[in-house]
Amino acid sequence: MALNRTDVENIAHLARIAINDEDIAATTAKLSGILELIDKMQAVDTQGIVPLAHPLETTQRLRDDLVTESNQREAFQAIAPATQEGLYLVPQVIE
Amino acid sequence: MHDKTLAALSQALQSKTISSVELTQHYLQRIEQFDQTLNSYITVTADLALEQAKAADARIAAGSATPLTGIPLAHKDLFCTQGVRTSCGSKMLDNFIAPYESTVTARFIEAGAVTLGKTNLDEFAMGSSTESSFYGPTRNPWDTERVPGGSSGGSAAAVAARLCAGATGTDTGGSIRQPAGFTALTGLKPTYGRVSRWGMIAYASSLDQGGPMARTAEDCAIMMQVMAGFDAKDSTSVDEPVSNYTAELNAPLKGLRIGLPKEYFASGLDAATADAIHAAVKQFQTLGAEIKEISLPNAELAIPAYYVIAPAEASSNLSRFDGVRFGYRCENPSDLTDLYKRSRGEGFGDEVKRRIMVGAYALSAGYYDAYYLQAQKIRRLIKNDFLAAYEQVDVILCPTSPTPPFKIGEKIDDPVSLYLTDIYTITANLAGVPGIALPAGFAQGLPLGMQLLGPYFSEARLLNIAHQYQQVTDWHHRAPAGY
Amino acid sequence: MQWEIVIGLEIHAQLTTASKIFSGSATTFGAEPNIQASLIDLGMPGTLPVLNKQAVRNAVKFGLAIDAQIGTTNVFARKNYFYPDLPKGYQISQMDLPIVGKGFIDITLDDGSIKRVGVTRAHLEEDAGKSLHEDFHGMSGIDLNRAGTPLLEIVSEPDMRSAKEAVAYAKTIHSLVRYLGICDGNMAEGSLRCDCNVSIRPKGQEEFGTRCEIKNVNSFRFIEKAINTEVQRQIELIEDGGKVVQETRLYDPNKDETRSMRSKEEANDYRYFPDPDLLPIIIEAAFIEEVRGELPELPQQKRERFQREFGLSVYDASVLSASREMADYFEEVQKVCTDAKLAANWVMGELSSLLNKEGLDIEQSPVSGSQLGKMLLRIKDNTISGKIAKMVFEAMAAGKGDADAIIKSQGLEQVTDSNAIENMLDEVLAANAGQVQQYRDSDEAKRGKMFGFFVGQAMKASKGKANPQQVNELLRRKLED
């Protein structure tokens, strides 16, 4: 399926990725090419086939309800871009 | 020293012919000497390596060594290593000092192995050439104008150039097997769930699997013994007993049924590779194997299905890179959306951004059924193909890639042509079955790879078959000129 | 035009577990920022979720309590959106295959009638962190302690027709999850939060109107006010020729208005897909039976039993079974005093007003159930009158000991000795000789009115301690003389 500029802008927004204006054309062409490759599977009749999400089709193990973690805030925040008083900082959230 | 296989080095260490410190220093010196050109390492952890080597020598002296104690290894730079940068080949994680250790690397540390450093890869393992790394492309030691394959190309080049005794890789669509094929190495992609994914930074969670890359099947068996096993921290880890991989290497191949999928030998396969595999077929026959043509009828659908499923999962897996808690953050974000868009837009490379966008699109309202669900149904068809094949044969033999290693830059502007190089490897990931790549010969000095695919949890058998083949061939002993 | 209000609620109940739904971090409320945020909660690269068994058990318990089908194969999906309190960029939730399917719950309305409300589904998911909007140099601060706390999202059918019904439903769910011990129900701490879907339609119309979702209403009072405010807004909007736009709104209790949420303005495309890091959860029949065995008596069963066993009215039985603590308290009182109606009257009367006045929960009551029961025994055996009992009760509430001790130390025993009462009455009548004469001269109707005066005087003279029945009887006899 061929995408247009607006499609690409919408997808980029959905994925929160900034694209420079001058790159949109090239991105659109490349994404369209990939979708064309993907679209080859549209020809296949898969009616009645159960989708496969996990190769092994096993089931989820359950963990006992135990607290195993301790405070490592200092170590974790040492690699954070911006923190203050133990909080991660982001531009003001408006609700 | 570096000529020796991992198995031989292990013996030399145990018999104290060499010390781990000597060996580690030797590899560090070689990295110094060759890696300027090859760019197989992103980070070299010389101090850590020497410290570990010292401890390993003490452990060997104390008589409590394992076969890997003192062996210098390298790890693909998407296994988290505590206190060491874990970059995923991305600007996004250029400043990311992992605050914890992956299960795989923790197991190697526990076994006493030495970590020489972290190897280069396609950014977030998305690629087949190791060209999309933020740290520049890795070169193939067999021909430095060519790619080593990918995404575990740094590991492949490092092992092939004897800049480590063995290395870890990960395989989402062929990222262990294809680079192994491109560099004349042996590489094992285990059954999905056999090796823990804890601490292995995800590309596509239902496809990713870590595995060993080394010179020989025996080396891979030694490494795999440490890597494999249940891990309660990974819900998809399988609680199955682990085979004794080295003990089973010597089983005879008599009566082994090998299938050749006709779809994999059709048009598009390089003639030299086809010839090499046919020659290997003869060797296997000599070893007592029976050869049978089989069919994997949905194989050609694997690429479209894979390039929906992997990007879809990736688009979600990579959402956590938002400039808030770790990793790259853009300068002076004007608001929250700007923080997200520019941090991600500037932090990710082009191929990663493309796959995230393809994945987001495939999951978005109105397209989910046609793309994601359809891909999962095809995934079922592909798995069924394998199940049917393993009714008839024990293993499947086929090429690892349609061509020998291509030139750096050759496919970089054409993502689709690069995707097509995964055609023989991605079916195993979609089905979750194990596969081992091993050298099958050379054409004009370039390695030709082949792979054996087996049923679930047949790693021991695959290693055994590859090992038996390597007892009667010497492709795996050849070294690239100058290394 | 006559409008009909249609309301459906989505209630998020934090499940009481020691650790988070997918990590081993503690879930304790009120910890310092980010000290309960582990690698997994922070969404560190390479980390993976493992499901907490207790969360599953709690969800199944809820499902059984509302007679729902348990999703014996249920699946976690990722809900993808970017928000700073959502570390992974997706919330692990359930979409197509939830753990709890269709069920129902009966609510008691103010008039004592019972209404059945459908529960569409209930699913497990992880809670998000919190954004703190205090000014950090123009920035917001993110605390991820809450991220990963297990939530059960309980989605009702659009069955409620007034704000009062919605509140009754919310209270019933609140009571149920507390009965089950799966959620502490502390709304002030956000343990139970409510999204209200509100729409209106002309009476008689089948088709639903366009709904608005009011997010995160965190008290019963606000549920009622928010819905009424929103209904009013929608009516005015439509009657002015406008149209309701489907959107997410926020209730501002200070201004008593709802307003559109700017951050959620754009249409979200959550791109749900099965979480590849988690496998399908299979709930075995044996597990369901095990959980069923752990179910306590539920509010509805308790209410019915209170009616049946104790002969209480629907209303009394509903009030007394509204919370597990209330019911336990009542049953304790009843057990000690063996008089359910007396117990009910006191629990719903004096005790409730005391608790209200002091702002206490019943489990914090200064008077224990057995203390109250013992006091009621003293009413029953005529040691004290109802009036004196109120004094004793107050003394107990003030921590002055058990009823018997208070009665004894303050000399509050009822006087039942006929001679003593007669002597006392003689004195009262002598002191009021004029009125006695007047009484005797009056006709029957007037006498009735005057009789109360003498009773009052007599009780006053005895400081309330004379047995009222005896006083009545003896007084009547003496006045007839």
Side-chain angles (χ1 to χ4, degrees):
Chain A
M1 191 182 142
L3 299 174
N4 61 35
R5 194 187 169 89
T6 318
D7 294 331
V8 171
E9 282 169 350
N10 288 339
I11 300 166
H13 177 70
L14 197 57
R16 297 296 186 277
I17 289 176
I19 310 183
N20 297 328
D21 258 7
E22 61 269 27
D23 294 338
I24 291 187
T27 305
T28 306
K30 280 184 176 150
L31 291 181
S32 294
I34 295 167
L35 290 177
E36 196 184 319
L37 174 77
I38 290 169
D39 273 332
K40 292 196 174 124
M41 68 179 187
Q42 301 304 349
V44 187
D45 180 7
T46 52
Q47 250 203 330
I49 310 283
V50 182
L52 179 68
H54 283 99
L56 293 182
E57 298 186 89
T58 47
T59 62
Q60 178 64 34
R61 233 171 329 104
L62 302 177
R63 175 177 63 82
D64 286 336
D65 181 23
L66 297 172
V67 175
T68 53
E69 299 298 321
S70 53
N71 175 18
Q72 292 191 69
R73 184 173 78 185
E74 207 177 318
F76 296 160
Q77 295 199 341
I79 53 169
T83 58
Q84 191 181 315
E85 293 164 37
L87 297 160
Y88 293 95
L89 295 190
V90 297
Q92 200 104 55
V93 178
I94 306 154
E95 288 204 322
Chain B
M1 282 189 259
H2 57 270
D3 290 336
K4 289 188 161 65
T5 62
L6 188 155
L9 289 173
S10 177
Q11 278 181 358
L13 286 167
Q14 310 286 327
S15 64
K16 304 190 184 73
T17 340
I18 47 166
S19 73
S20 177
V21 170
E22 283 174 283
L23 188 58
T24 301
Q25 277 167 337
H26 180 68
Y27 278 117
L28 288 172
Q29 181 271 317
R30 285 182 63 80
I31 294 168
E32 187 88 2
Q33 184 183 350
F34 295 108
D35 210 43
Q36 203 79 336
T37 311
L38 293 177
N39 196 31
S40 64
Y41 283 85
I42 291 173
T43 304
V44 178
T45 52
D47 293 345
L48 172 69
L50 288 168
E51 204 178 290
Q52 289 173 330
K54 251 182 240 158
D57 285 332
R59 187 163 163 183
I60 292 166
S64 58
T66 77
L68 278 170
T69 306
I71 298 286
L73 300 176
H75 298 298
K76 187 175 183 179
D77 201 20
L78 54 60
F79 286 101
C80 284
T81 41
Q82 187 161 17
V84 175
R85 175 174 63 181
T86 301
S87 74
C88 277
S90 181
K91 180 179 177 185
M92 182 59 86
L93 291 181
D94 184 45
N95 62 3
F96 182 68
I97 310 297
Y100 74 108
E101 195 74 35
S102 76
T103 296
V104 163
T105 50
R107 286 180 179 215
F108 280 119
I109 290 169
E110 202 189 303
V114 171
T115 307
L116 290 169
K118 309 290 293 289
T119 58
N120 203 2
L121 68 158
D122 280 298
E123 186 181 1
F124 283 100
M126 298 181 192
S128 314
S129 62
T130 316
E131 291 170 284
S132 70
S133 169
F134 173 62
Y135 302 92
T138 294
R139 293 174 181 276
N140 190 329
W142 291 94
D143 176 351
T144 53
E145 295 301 302
R146 291 177 188 269
V147 302
S151 63
S152 313
S155 288
V159 180
R162 279 67 172 150
L163 306 187
C164 60
T168 52
T170 62
D171 192 317
T172 305
S175 287
I176 287 175
R177 290 162 291 150
Q178 183 252 24
F182 275 12
T183 54
L185 297 182
T186 309
L188 176 69
K189 180 208 102 73
T191 305
Y192 182 80
R194 179 73 293 180
V195 170
S196 169
R197 295 188 297 114
W198 174 260
M200 196 178 103
I201 298 177
Y203 158 24
S205 311
S206 78
L207 301 161
D208 294 342
Q209 191 57 199
M213 302 177 79
R215 301 252 295 279
T216 66
E218 185 184 16
D219 291 356
C220 285
I222 294 169
M223 288 178 69
M224 187 60 187
Q225 205 68 56
V226 170
M227 295 175 84
F230 174 68
D231 181 7
K233 293 206 277 282
D234 174 0
S235 293
T236 61
S237 169
V238 180
D239 199 358
E240 283 262 326
V242 175
S243 315
N244 187 335
Y245 299 115
T246 43
E248 292 178 40
L249 288 174
N250 291 313
L253 300 192
K254 192 156 170 46
L256 174 76
R257 298 170 302 164
I258 297 179
L260 300 179
K262 61 178 184 209
E263 293 81 3
Y264 284 44
F265 293 91
S267 65
L269 177 59
D270 161 71
T273 306
D275 290 348
I277 292 177
H278 288 302
V281 164
K282 294 222 168 68
Q283 287 284 8
F284 283 120
Q285 281 172 320
T286 318
L287 289 167
E290 297 161 23
I291 308 295
K292 200 170 172 184
E293 187 184 83
I294 57 156
S295 174
L296 296 169
N298 294 291
E300 63 167 352
L301 296 172
I303 284 190
Y306 175 87
Y307 279 98
V308 169
I309 293 169
E313 292 182 7
S315 73
S316 176
N317 284 336
L318 271 63
S319 290
R320 69 192 63 205
F321 302 106
D322 58 4
V324 176
R325 297 163 314 285
F326 42 76
Y328 179 79
R329 179 183 192 132
C330 67
E331 297 273 339
N332 305 316
S334 61
D335 60 21
L336 197 56
T337 306
D338 187 45
L339 167 73
Y340 289 149
K341 286 192 171 178
R342 279 202 295 125
S343 297
R344 293 165 61 77
E346 295 163 16
F348 291 137
D350 288 344
E351 181 59 22
V352 170
K353 286 190 269 196
R354 272 197 290 276
R355 293 201 194 185
I356 289 174
M357 286 194 280
V358 167
Y361 184 70
L363 290 172
S364 64
Y367 298 98
Y368 181 86
D369 286 6
Y371 286 117
Y372 185 74
L373 218 55
Q374 174 75 348
Q376 285 208 328
K377 289 176 177 178
I378 288 170
R379 188 174 190 179
R380 163 90 53 197
L381 295 176
I382 287 165
K383 176 178 173 171
N384 289 347
D385 282 357
F386 277 102
L387 295 181
Y390 293 132
E391 298 273 302
Q392 302 170 54
V393 295
D394 301 312
V395 292
I396 294 166
L397 177 66
C398 58
T400 49
S401 70
T403 64
F406 45 89
K407 290 216 161 129
I408 291 173
E410 190 182 320
K411 295 177 194 280
I412 201 143
D413 287 322
D414 185 0
V416 169
S417 76
L418 198 59
Y419 294 178
L420 291 171
T421 65
D422 299 337
I423 185 151
Y424 303 133
T425 45
I426 55 182
T427 46
N429 301 85
L430 289 168
V433 297
I436 191 167
L438 63 163
F442 291 85
Q444 281 134 18
L446 293 177
L448 304 172
M450 63 177 173
Q451 60 177 333
L452 290 154
L453 305 176
Y456 296 119
F457 301 106
S458 64
E459 287 80 3
R461 186 62 166 154
L462 293 175
L463 288 161
N464 158 233
I465 300 165
H467 180 70
Q468 290 305 308
Y469 175 79
Q470 290 178 341
Q471 299 312 295
V472 296
T473 54
D474 72 346
W475 312 118
H476 57 291
H477 285 315
R478 299 197 188 176
Y483 296 94
Chain C
M1 180 169 317
Q2 282 271 60
W3 295 99
E4 182 173 49
I5 305 166
V6 176
I7 304 160
L9 298 188
E10 287 166 23
I11 293 178
H12 292 84
Q14 280 185 348
L15 298 174
T16 35
T17 53
S19 65
K20 292 187 179 174
I21 184 166
F22 297 118
S23 83
S25 309
T27 54
T28 319
F29 179 82
E32 260 190 70
N34 289 310
I35 67 166
Q36 286 172 185
S38 68
L39 291 168
I40 295 173
D41 312 318
L42 293 171
M44 282 285 174
T47 58
L48 298 167
V50 184
L51 181 58
N52 184 339
K53 186 173 191 172
Q54 190 60 34
V56 172
R57 182 179 287 269
N58 285 347
V60 169
K61 220 177 237 186
F62 179 80
L64 294 174
I66 60 159
D67 274 319
Q69 194 78 37
I70 302 301
T72 47
T73 299
N74 62 95
V75 170
F76 280 101
R78 292 184 182 178
K79 179 180 183 180
N80 293 284
Y81 64 97
F82 287 89
Y83 211 65
D85 64 12
L86 188 70
K88 297 184 295 298
Y90 58 84
Q91 180 192 30
I92 305 177
S93 181
Q94 298 193 304
M95 185 59 180
D96 290 338
L97 295 167
I99 189 161
V100 175
K102 251 185 189 326
F104 63 85
I105 191 158
D106 287 343
I107 63 174
T108 307
L109 304 179
D110 282 351
D111 64 1
S113 67
I114 305 275
K115 173 169 177 155
R116 178 158 291 189
V117 176
V119 172
T120 316
R121 59 183 280 161
H123 64 256
L124 281 169
E125 62 185 25
E126 55 180 344
D127 207 342
K130 281 180 187 163
S131 305
L132 305 175
H133 305 297
E134 294 107 80
D135 202 6
F136 293 93
H137 310 287
M139 309 281 267
S140 288
I142 307 297
D143 174 13
L144 297 170
N145 279 344
R146 198 179 68 178
T149 300
L151 289 180
L152 187 67
E153 179 174 333
I154 304 157
V155 183
S156 85
E157 295 284 320
D159 284 351
M160 276 78 71
R161 293 292 173 266
S162 70
K164 280 210 176 338
E165 282 185 22
V167 171
Y169 167 79
K171 281 186 173 170
T172 310
I173 292 284
H174 180 258
S175 145
L176 178 62
V177 294
R178 284 165 47 90
Y179 257 85
L180 295 170
I182 62 170
C183 170
D184 68 21
N186 190 328
M187 295 178 83
E189 292 180 0
S191 301
L192 195 101
R193 314 193 289 272
C194 190
D195 298 343
C196 311
N197 285 298
V198 180
S199 67
I200 57 169
R201 61 181 171 191
K203 257 219 161 90
Q205 178 183 305
E206 194 125 323
E207 193 190 327
F208 289 124
T210 306
R211 67 190 159 88
C212 287
E213 181 179 11
I214 315 168
K215 277 258 176 230
N216 268 336
V217 191
N218 58 7
S219 80
F220 296 125
R221 198 161 62 90
F222 289 164
I223 291 175
E224 184 166 352
K225 292 182 80 175
I227 291 173
N228 283 331
T229 308
E230 175 61 15
V231 165
Q232 208 46 48
R233 185 188 72 89
Q234 292 187 11
I235 290 176
E236 281 167 21
L237 190 63
I238 294 175
E239 290 185 344
D240 286 351
K243 256 187 161 175
V244 176
V245 184
Q246 186 169 342
E247 63 179 352
T248 305
R249 300 181 70 85
L250 209 59
Y251 176 66
D252 182 343
N254 296 321
K255 296 182 185 159
D256 191 26
E257 63 176 30
T258 67
R259 59 182 162 82
S260 188
M261 275 175 87
R262 273 170 65 186
S263 58
K264 305 262 175 178
E265 230 167 59
E266 54 190 294
N268 271 311
D269 184 346
Y270 291 124
R271 290 159 286 143
Y272 280 98
F273 75 107
D275 190 329
D277 287 331
L278 291 160
L279 299 161
I281 298 100
I282 305 296
I283 313 259
E284 309 276 359
F287 182 76
I288 296 178
E289 287 321 304
E290 188 188 312
V291 174
R292 200 190 297 280
E294 292 166 6
L295 284 182
E297 185 183 31
L298 300 175
Q300 187 180 333
Q301 295 163 343
K302 208 158 246 183
R303 189 194 77 220
E304 286 164 5
R305 180 166 63 81
F306 284 180
Q307 289 177 250
R308 192 178 61 236
E309 231 169 70
F310 302 135
L312 299 181
S313 70
V314 184
Y315 181 78
D316 288 2
S318 293
V319 171
L320 291 170
S321 60
S323 80
R324 194 168 175 168
E325 290 78 10
M326 171 75 95
D328 287 350
Y329 190 100
F330 162 71
E331 290 211 77
E332 177 68 25
V333 177
Q334 189 281 330
K335 202 178 80 194
V336 174
C337 78
T338 68
D339 185 331
K341 285 196 178 134
L342 186 62
N345 287 341
W346 273 82
V347 172
M348 293 168 64
E350 292 303 310
L351 179 77
S352 289
S353 48
L354 170 75
L355 296 177
N356 261 338
K357 200 173 73 193
E358 306 285 329
L360 296 173
D361 291 329
I362 196 154
E363 57 271 37
Q364 303 165 305
S365 169
V367 180
S368 74
S370 86
Q371 276 183 315
L372 178 56
K374 281 184 203 149
M375 189 198 80
L376 298 185
L377 275 179
R378 295 295 157 261
I379 298 180
K380 285 189 66 183
D381 68 11
N382 283 331
T383 306
I384 53 173
S385 66
K387 207 162 191 179
I388 293 290
K390 287 181 187 173
M391 289 168 59
V392 175
F393 182 76
E394 269 168 39
M396 286 199 295
K400 297 200 175 134
D402 281 352
D404 284 347
I406 292 165
I407 292 167
K408 195 157 197 189
S409 70
Q410 300 189 14
L412 298 174
E413 292 97 339
Q414 190 157 243
V415 179
T416 49
D417 174 354
S418 302
N419 287 334
I421 295 177
E422 273 192 71
N423 289 340
M424 183 265 295
L425 288 179
D426 288 342
E427 278 170 38
V428 168
L429 295 181
N432 295 285
Q435 281 86 344
V436 173
Q437 198 49 53
Q438 223 178 318
Y439 178 91
R440 288 181 175 149
D441 295 343
S442 301
D443 59 15
E444 204 51 38
K446 204 152 184 210
R447 278 184 178 194
K449 280 180 198 157
M450 292 186 71
F451 188 71
F453 166 77
F454 295 109
V455 174
Q457 291 301 311
M459 292 311 285
K460 201 165 152 192
S462 76
K463 299 196 179 76
K465 292 190 297 186
N467 179 298
Q469 274 120 32
Q470 282 172 292
V471 168
N472 267 310
E473 237 168 78
L474 293 170
L475 193 58
R476 203 172 294 277
R477 213 185 307 152
K478 281 183 192 293
L479 286 167
E480 298 305 309
D481 284 351

